[in-house]
Amino acid sequence: MMPDFPHRHLIGIEGLSPGEINFLLDEAEQWIAFNRSVRKLDDRLAGLTQVNAFFENSTRTLLSFEVAGKRLGAQVVNMHVAQSSVQKGETLLDTALTINAMRPDVFVMRHAAAGAAREVASVMDCPVINGGDGWGEHPTQALLDALTIRRRKGRIEGLKIAICGDIRHSRVARSNLLALRALGGDVRVVGPAALLPSTAELGGAPSFTDFDEGIAGADVVMMLRIQRERMEESLAERLDDYHALYGLTRARLAQAAPDAIVMHPGPINRGVEIASDVADDPERSAILEQVELGVAVRMACLDVLTRERRS
Ligand code: ASP
C-alpha cells in the first residue's frame, strides 16, 4: 500500500482521513493546466487496461473517466451494459468475475444499488473506483466539488456550505457531507422534509426546510437534482410546486453571501431546482468548472490507485 493513500479501492469518502482527501486534491492540481494545453498525453498508465462499466446512465462521470484514462495513456474500454449479458440475467458478481478474468488494471463502475461497488471490489484483483452506487456514495464527485470550492474560495475550512434539494436520495449529498465536513466546512442541508435524511444520517449537520433561512449568508450554494428514479411515485407527485419553494432564482440567491458561488453536479433541470439565469451566470455559477475539474480529479484517482501495480 502507498503510504499517502493506503487504500486499494475508492468506494466512498467514508473511511478516508482529511489528509488522504487533501492528498487526492493536491494530486489533481497538476492536471488542471495539463488539461488546458493542446497535447494532453502522459504515459504513466501506458499498457494498463481500464474498464468502465456503467450499469446506470451517465454523461459527465463516464465521459470524464474515459477522457482521464486516455490522457494518462491507459487503454480504456467501456462495457456497453445495454448490449451485454446483464440483459440476459447475469448477476452483478458474475459480470464482475468475467471482467476480472480479462485482467483489467483498474475498474470503474456505476450501479443503481447502494453497496454494489463494495461488493464488486471484494472479488476483483484490481483497484475499483465507485462512479456512483444508488443513493450510496459518489466519491469522485465530492472530490471535484471540494477542489472547485478550494480553488474558487481559497479554502474550505470555515465556509458556510448549503447543500439544497433532494438530500435523501442523493449520493452526491452523502459524499459531500462526509468530504466537506472532514475538511472543516460548516455544512448544512436544505430541502423539503420528505427529502431530508434522518438526523442520525446527517451526523450532526443542521437541516432546514425553509430555503431562504437555509442559504442565509452561505458562501457556497450547492443545488441537487430531484432523483425521481429513486422515489416512490406518490412522493414524486407531491413535488409539483418544487420550483416555487426550492428553486434557486436570482432573488433567492440574494439571501446568500454577496460573493456566494452556485454549484450543481448535473444534470441540471432548468426551471426546476435552478433558474437558467443563475445556472448560466459565469460569475456565480461554478457548474462547468466542476465538470472541468472532474477530469483532473479522475486522473489523480486513476494515477494514485494504480501506483502500486506500476511500481
Ligand atoms: N450526476 C450525479 C449522480 O450521478 C447527480 C445526479 O444524477 O443528479 O449522482
Side-chain angles (χ1 to χ4, degrees):
M1 294 277 173
M2 293 287 163
D4 292 321
F5 195 78
H7 303 275
R8 212 156 90 81
H9 308 288
L10 180 63
I11 305 301
I13 299 296
E14 193 176 10
L16 301 188
S17 69
E20 289 159 6
I21 298 171
N22 273 323
F23 172 70
L24 291 177
L25 301 185
D26 293 344
E27 286 283 326
E29 293 276 0
Q30 67 185 296
W31 301 115
I32 300 170
F34 173 93
N35 284 336
R36 290 177 186 167
S37 63
V38 178
R39 293 196 189 278
K40 300 174 265 293
L41 187 58
D42 186 276
D43 64 357
R44 65 188 66 196
L45 263 60
L48 270 64
T49 305
Q50 172 187 334
V51 176
N52 300 327
F54 278 54
F55 300 84
E56 209 188 49
N57 292 346
S58 173
T59 299
R60 280 150 288 270
T61 308
L62 175 58
L63 207 56
S64 62
F65 266 115
E66 183 171 359
V67 167
K70 286 186 169 159
R71 287 184 184 169
L72 293 173
Q75 288 177 310
V76 185
V77 183
N78 292 325
M79 177 176 145
H80 298 286
V81 174
Q83 287 119 47
S84 73
S85 288
V86 172
Q87 309 305 328
K88 300 180 190 167
E90 188 169 64
T91 67
L92 176 61
L93 278 188
D94 281 327
T95 304
L97 287 168
T98 302
I99 295 168
N100 191 52
M102 296 179 196
R103 301 192 172 275
D105 298 290
V106 59
F107 182 59
V108 185
M109 65 171 282
R110 167 173 288 188
H111 196 276
R118 187 172 301 285
E119 199 184 333
V120 165
S122 71
V123 301
M124 299 291 283
D125 295 316
C126 70
V128 173
I129 302 179
N130 180 10
D133 62 324
W135 55 12
E137 279 224 44
H138 193 351
T140 56
Q141 177 72 48
L143 292 168
L144 73 88
D145 289 338
L147 187 62
T148 305
I149 297 172
R150 198 171 88 165
R151 288 179 64 89
R152 278 263 182 144
K153 295 280 173 200
R155 68 193 163 101
I156 291 174
E157 189 156 12
L159 288 184
K160 203 186 241 196
I161 303 167
I163 306 181
C164 312
D166 183 0
I167 313 293
R168 193 169 131 211
H169 301 95
S170 173
R171 54 193 174 211
V172 175
R174 207 149 279 120
S175 291
N176 263 310
L177 270 160
L178 292 165
L180 298 174
R181 295 184 81 203
L183 300 179
D186 169 12
V187 187
R188 71 241 352 259
V189 301
V190 190
L195 299 183
L196 291 178
S198 66
T199 324
E201 270 184 277
L202 286 171
S207 65
F208 296 82
T209 50
D210 184 289
F211 195 15
D212 294 318
E213 198 189 329
I215 65 169
D219 301 295
V220 177
V221 180
M222 184 184 290
M223 302 305 298
L224 300 172
R225 182 177 67 89
I226 300 183
Q227 313 261 311
R228 288 187 193 273
E229 71 273 31
R230 303 193 209 291
M231 277 177 200
E232 328 71 86
E233 225 173 273
S234 60
L235 175 57
E237 278 164 13
R238 279 191 275 134
L239 295 170
D240 275 354
D241 55 352
Y242 190 81
H243 183 68
L245 290 172
Y246 293 98
L248 185 66
T249 58
R250 199 165 278 285
R252 275 249 160 75
L253 186 57
Q255 310 296 320
D259 59 349
I261 59 163
V262 175
M263 302 176 71
H264 193 305
I268 60 172
N269 284 315
R270 293 172 180 270
V272 182
E273 73 273 6
I274 191 163
S276 274
D277 61 341
V278 175
D280 298 335
D281 178 346
E283 291 268 299
R284 314 302 293 274
S285 167
I287 296 173
L288 294 177
E289 197 173 327
Q290 290 171 265
V291 177
E292 180 185 6
L293 299 186
V295 179
V297 156
R298 288 166 180 134
M299 289 171 81
C301 293
L302 291 167
D303 175 21
V304 168
L305 286 171
T306 57
R307 255 176 218 176
E308 191 158 79
R309 57 178 47 219
R310 287 186 280 126
S311 64

